[in-house]
Amino acid sequence: MTTAVGAGPVLGADDRGGERLWWLPWLTVLAVLAALEALSRSGAIPEDYLPAVTTVLAALVAELRDPTFWLRVWETLQAWGLGLAVAVVAGIPLGLAIGSNRLAYRAVRVLIEFPRPIPPVAVLPLAVLLFGTGVEMKVYLVAFAAFFPLLFQALYGVQDLDPVARDTARAYGLGPIARFVWVAVPSAMPYVATGLRLSAAIALIVTIATEIVVGSSGLGYAINEVRYANDIALMYGIIVVTGVLGLVIAIMFRRLERRVLHWHASQRQELPA
Amino acid sequence: MLEVTQLTKTYGHGPSAVHAVGNLSFRVEPGEFVCIVGQSGCGKTTLLKCLCGLIPATSGTAVLQGRVIDRPPDKLALVFQEYSRSLLPWMTVRGNITLPLRSKGIDSTRRDELAEQALTAVGLVGSFDRYPWQLSGGMQQRVAIARALAYQPEILLMDEPFASVDAQTRADLEDLVLRVRDEFDVTVLFVTHDIDEAIYLSDRVIVLTPPPTRVREVVDVDLPRPRDQIATKGLPAFTRLRAHVFELIKRPADSAGDELSEQHTT
Amino acid sequence: MTRRLRAIGLESALPVMLVVVWWVASADSESVYFPPLREIVATFADVWLFDRVASDLIPSLVRFTAGFVVAVASGVGLGLLIGLSPLLRRATDPLVDFLRTLPKPAIIPPAILFLGAGASMKVFIIAFGAIWPVLLNTVDGVRGVDADTLDMARVYGLRRGERIRRVVLPAATPQIFAGARLALSIALILMVVSEMVASTNGLGYFVLLSQQTFAIPEMWSGILLLGLVGYLFNGIFVLAERRALRWHRGWRAAALGQAVDTGAAPARPKNIIPQAADT
């Protein structure tokens, strides 16, 4: 849809005052935390189900001094990063190559479309058989999950090349390789950036999932560990840590995407929030 | 019919305020065809939005049939410049025309009747079940006009409705508007930046100044009706009026003439 | 017609070849982990026609469907609410940001605490994971409705409810579907994971159990079936999308100045993918 500048307010609602209400989001967060604290302290929710927020925070702060905790964080980040890296190295060039050749695309279309809807965790048992329960297994699964969004975004990006740009390049006498490098690849970058953001998120989901199912390392394993030790407060604390990790990763890749989109016409106007 | 009195619209406050409409007064009598012309960016769209009750005026009033306009009036229909955005692409032509009638509480038989009548008037009877995007630009604008007519308005506002169609289609649509306004007996307030179009269509032309917008002069158009694209535009009177309006629009902002308009508008 | 046949031939050549290669190469396989394809197919027929359909397949499908439907319905509802109210959007912004980026498998343990290891826990996990792309894309879609379109609705006297139902919601459907497509794959992942972590039935449970008991052909048959299930849901989704967004394809094609042909399917709904707002 063509979007009006700023994609403004709807139904006569008014967007003014956004700057004046900078405190509103934080008020909501505080209110939610206070409500959770009250629910637990009053006994409305039993403490062994949901400890008070302050208890969770205290448990988490104590845990931050434990080197094992930081080892778990590292293990998760390692599997996530390596898996994503493998997917990037394999998926993006492959997508660009397939996308820029009609015949190649037609030949492999069914082949790459078929495994796409398979939930990546379905092959987890196989991965455990082949690689054990260590980091290789996690990297393999994460790479498998992160591969497809990257492959398809790169492929679509190349195929969506503006015909005018292509014809211009041809008119200026650029050969096929030069056209690929200087026209097709740069114009596919916004798609690739979107693919990266999606892949990064899915990679983290799969990392944590793997650690929870066949735990021997990482934050997912740590969650299981403290749960079996009945340290419920710390369990919530570690979940919060995974949330923060997810948030940081999301923000990082959104920034990257915006930078790439910056010069791209399809960038949507966003008002400073 | 429609009486606009000392209407102003200012966006923002203080030194950064933008005076889009500055003290505008004019009247439209029942059955009249009035055109508003002015250079682009002279606040025509803002004025129309005030008249439609979409945005409140900063000061002054617009009164339609004795009622102050503070929300979209029932007896008013608007034809937008951008037909591609004002027609809903997920609805057929029929759906687009009957949607406003549904809100009015008109039963479905009567809705279809009104829609068919309006669609016949704009010469598109066969397109009932097509989607807007299956039609050409000119045909889409006809659908938009049909939607306005089926709404049974007393006054029809048109915001540069033919700015996005080609010249031939434009001439056809101009004649179409003249025909349906007789057929449906509706008052028309037509905004355009095309001087020829304004003179060809209207009984009176309201010429606006650049912002802050005022009425520079109201020009009576005493050309004979029915109008004809070739005969009317060939008349010496037409040429004279065109030269006059052109001169009014080109005149620098702060010269005489603004006072003059006060007399004409009463 | 011959061109069509040639195209189909070209597209299916490689997959058919791979299956044949797999079949032939694995025929004499002694490997424990890679049994002959013949054996996998035989086991598949054995297990899934129809021994474990009622015990494992149906529960999985029901959980998935329930979770996905809840996610889409509440995602669209909440998305409308938030999209229509700038104040609410601002108020919920950091909370939504945190919840949507939280890796959902992490909340399986607390979900077990509250809901036990039964179906309700799994439906909750699936719904909670799948709601965010739908919600965010609905907000995006609602905010992106054209200003002229909204003005039209107001001038023509559409009441608020009607404006939402007939103007805002349809205008947002392309975005909503883009979100739902992402939600679908997340829901599938969470269905499998939740069944692997705590369950006594379901496809995820079956696959993991087969692996742990070294019933390798059974494990392969389960993986194969999960792939088919994913394929099936995706297919149903694409059909629904095509139906619901037929106008959008025509509208887009017309806007791009291409020939309009409402009957034919588009080359591919690629415009859907880059639009996904976020996970």
Side-chain angles (χ1 to χ4, degrees):
Chain A
M1 292 241 141
T2 42
T3 306
V5 177
V10 166
L11 297 179
D14 204 325
D15 228 344
R16 277 176 308 177
E19 292 301 307
R20 282 204 314 266
L21 295 174
W22 60 268
W23 43 267
L24 186 63
W26 307 111
L27 185 75
T28 329
V29 172
L30 276 179
V32 169
L33 291 179
L36 288 175
E37 176 90 16
L39 277 173
S40 177
R41 291 271 178 227
S42 67
I45 299 177
E47 198 165 342
D48 41 352
Y49 280 25
L50 183 74
V53 176
T54 43
T55 317
V56 170
L57 277 179
L60 182 59
V61 168
E63 178 74 2
L64 293 183
R65 278 188 297 252
D66 186 347
T68 321
F69 166 78
W70 293 105
L71 177 68
R72 298 288 178 240
V73 174
W74 162 245
E75 284 164 349
T76 293
L77 281 176
Q78 185 195 29
W80 169 83
L82 285 174
L84 191 60
V86 170
V88 165
V89 169
I92 296 177
L94 205 59
L96 292 174
I98 295 171
S100 54
N101 185 323
R102 280 183 70 85
L103 200 71
Y105 172 68
R106 297 268 291 279
V108 300
R109 195 179 74 97
V110 177
L111 193 71
I112 56 176
E113 288 278 355
F114 190 78
R116 181 148 79 136
I118 298 177
V121 284
V123 293
L124 188 146
L126 179 66
V128 172
L129 282 182
L130 296 178
F131 303 105
T133 55
V135 67
E136 295 101 318
M137 178 270 296
K138 284 202 277 179
V139 171
Y140 166 79
L141 272 178
V142 171
F144 179 73
F147 173 75
F148 286 100
L150 282 167
L151 176 82
F152 280 97
Q153 288 294 104
L155 197 157
Y156 291 152
V158 172
Q159 288 188 341
D160 207 31
L161 174 60
D162 183 359
V164 177
R166 194 187 52 214
D167 292 346
T168 310
R170 201 172 279 162
Y172 279 98
L174 265 66
I177 293 172
R179 283 207 303 273
F180 179 73
V181 173
W182 298 112
V183 183
V185 171
S187 67
M189 277 309 123
Y191 286 80
V192 172
T194 303
L196 253 179
R197 173 169 57 80
L198 296 175
S199 288
I202 291 175
L204 188 67
I205 292 178
V206 171
T207 310
I208 301 284
T210 312
E211 290 167 355
I212 284 190
V213 175
V214 280
S216 61
S217 64
L219 286 171
Y221 172 61
I223 292 172
N224 270 342
E225 220 177 8
V226 294
R227 178 180 144 225
Y228 292 131
N230 226 9
D231 191 349
I232 302 302
L234 188 54
M235 179 186 80
Y236 282 103
I238 296 174
I239 291 171
V240 169
V241 172
T242 64
V244 171
L245 222 55
L247 195 58
V248 170
I249 286 171
I251 290 171
M252 251 166 51
F253 282 89
R254 215 182 310 161
R255 287 244 171 98
L256 180 79
E257 190 185 10
R258 288 227 178 108
R259 275 179 88 119
V260 176
L261 285 178
H262 190 65
W263 47 267
H264 193 260
S266 79
Q267 187 207 15
R268 282 192 57 176
Q269 282 281 327
E270 281 226 40
L271 293 171
Chain B
M1 173 58 110
L2 175 70
E3 182 158 11
V4 178
T5 317
Q6 301 193 316
L7 188 91
T8 69
K9 178 66 190 179
T10 309
Y11 290 108
H13 299 279
S16 65
V18 178
H19 300 277
V21 177
N23 208 349
L24 203 61
S25 301
F26 64 87
R27 289 174 67 112
V28 178
E29 303 299 338
E32 256 192 323
F33 200 123
V34 175
C35 279
I36 294 180
V37 282
Q39 283 173 326
S40 31
C42 78
K44 288 174 296 203
T45 300
T46 305
L47 170 65
L48 271 189
K49 283 195 171 178
C50 289
L51 296 182
C52 291
L54 288 172
I55 53 173
T58 308
S59 69
T61 53
V63 176
L64 180 68
Q65 294 182 312
R67 273 207 51 180
V68 175
I69 298 171
D70 51 4
R71 59 189 184 85
D74 294 339
K75 289 289 174 191
L76 178 148
L78 174 65
V79 175
F80 291 77
Q81 176 184 342
E82 295 288 342
Y83 45 81
S84 61
R85 294 193 207 158
S86 88
L87 292 175
L88 306 177
W90 49 89
M91 283 187 184
T92 59
V93 167
R94 183 205 303 269
N96 268 287
I97 297 177
T98 54
L99 177 65
L101 307 179
R102 195 191 289 266
S103 296
K104 272 187 161 182
I106 298 171
D107 69 75
S108 84
T109 330
R110 179 82 184 121
R111 284 204 299 265
D112 277 357
E113 236 172 70
L114 285 168
E116 204 176 325
Q117 192 188 354
L119 220 44
T120 312
V122 299
L124 279 178
V125 237
S127 306
F128 235 157
D129 294 312
R130 302 182 75 182
Y131 285 89
W133 37 265
Q134 293 175 307
L135 307 172
S136 70
M139 284 159 94
Q140 288 185 47
Q141 197 56 301
R142 281 169 196 250
V143 173
I145 293 169
R147 175 175 61 190
L149 292 173
Y151 195 61
Q152 301 174 286
E154 306 257 332
I155 186 161
L156 180 59
L157 267 50
M158 305 185 88
D159 182 10
E160 306 211 19
F162 309 143
S164 317
V165 295
D166 62 85
Q168 182 52 46
T169 310
R170 184 176 188 136
D172 292 346
L173 288 173
E174 284 166 6
D175 290 330
L176 174 88
V177 167
L178 287 177
R179 209 179 62 240
V180 296
R181 84 118 175 190
D182 290 337
E183 194 177 321
F184 285 76
D185 191 25
V186 61
T187 310
V188 182
L189 183 63
F190 191 106
V191 173
T192 177
H193 63 262
D194 183 321
I195 299 169
D196 280 32
E197 183 170 77
I199 297 170
Y200 178 69
L201 290 171
S202 58
D203 299 316
R204 286 191 299 145
V205 175
I206 299 173
V207 184
L208 300 182
T209 67
T213 313
R214 294 157 185 275
V215 175
R216 174 150 285 165
E217 190 176 314
V218 178
V219 179
D220 285 319
V221 179
D222 44 9
L223 300 169
R225 288 191 188 270
R227 307 253 163 102
D228 178 89
Q229 288 285 355
I230 294 165
T232 305
K233 287 181 177 173
L235 293 172
F238 185 90
T239 318
R240 212 166 44 238
L241 280 166
R242 180 169 61 188
H244 181 56
V245 172
F246 189 72
E247 195 264 333
L248 286 173
I249 288 176
K250 286 293 160 198
R251 195 189 292 168
D254 52 345
S255 72
D258 293 2
E259 282 75 23
L260 250 174
S261 65
E262 302 293 326
Q263 294 154 21
H264 277 79
T265 49
T266 46
Chain C
M1 203 56 211
T2 33
R3 264 188 66 184
R4 222 182 132 74
L5 279 175
R6 269 222 324 258
I8 293 173
L10 182 68
E11 292 196 343
S12 51
L14 205 52
V16 168
M17 228 164 67
L18 275 171
V19 172
V20 170
V21 168
W22 185 7
W23 187 280
V24 173
S26 68
D28 307 314
S29 171
E30 300 287 319
S31 161
V32 188
Y33 302 153
F34 293 98
L37 185 53
R38 183 173 19 86
E39 200 182 324
I40 295 173
V41 171
T43 312
F44 188 95
D46 233 31
V47 176
W48 298 111
L49 302 176
F50 293 89
D51 255 16
R52 306 199 66 125
V53 167
S55 63
D56 291 293
L57 179 60
I58 301 287
S60 282
L61 298 186
V62 168
R63 286 165 198 155
F64 171 85
T65 311
F68 185 67
V69 167
V70 168
V72 170
S74 44
V76 170
L78 287 174
L80 266 176
L81 228 64
I82 295 174
L84 290 172
S85 159
L87 205 69
L88 195 59
R89 190 169 66 244
R90 211 172 156 66
T92 53
D93 199 31
L95 209 61
V96 167
D97 246 14
F98 182 77
L99 289 178
R100 72 152 184 214
T101 52
L102 179 75
K104 303 305 174 302
I107 59 160
I108 294 177
I112 295 172
L113 266 183
F114 276 93
L115 300 168
S120 55
M121 179 276 285
K122 287 162 197 116
V123 172
F124 169 78
I125 291 287
I126 294 167
F128 185 76
I131 186 174
W132 304 104
V134 180
L135 187 148
L136 286 155
N137 272 38
T138 307
V139 171
D140 241 37
V142 167
R143 291 187 66 201
V145 182
D146 187 83
D148 270 5
T149 308
L150 292 171
D151 278 351
M152 184 282 294
R154 288 181 63 207
V155 169
Y156 282 98
L158 267 64
R159 281 183 296 271
R160 196 181 163 83
E162 245 167 343
R163 268 183 275 161
I164 292 171
R165 201 155 57 96
R166 303 203 180 266
V167 180
V168 175
L169 205 52
T173 39
Q175 285 278 76
I176 294 174
F177 268 97
R181 176 180 273 253
L182 198 57
L184 188 85
S185 37
I186 292 174
L188 267 174
I189 293 177
L190 290 174
M191 175 194 91
V192 176
V193 174
S194 66
E195 287 175 349
M196 283 178 172
V197 173
S199 201
T200 50
N201 61 6
L203 290 176
Y205 163 80
F206 175 82
V207 172
L208 194 65
L209 182 79
S210 304
Q211 179 249 313
Q212 284 162 352
T213 54
F214 281 93
I216 306 305
E218 280 78 3
M219 179 197 82
W220 275 99
S221 80
I223 292 174
L224 227 55
L225 185 61
L226 270 173
L228 287 176
V229 166
Y231 215 64
L232 177 81
F233 280 127
N234 217 53
I236 294 171
F237 182 85
V238 168
L239 283 182
E241 186 179 47
R242 280 206 182 149
R243 244 188 101 83
L245 295 183
R246 204 164 45 194
W247 66 266
H248 187 243
R249 286 203 314 276
W251 177 82
R252 249 180 81 91
L256 294 171
Q258 292 159 358
V260 177
D261 182 1
T262 44
R268 65 203 136 82
K270 68 177 175 186
N271 55 309
I272 302 300
I273 289 107
Q275 282 179 354
D278 228 318
T279 39

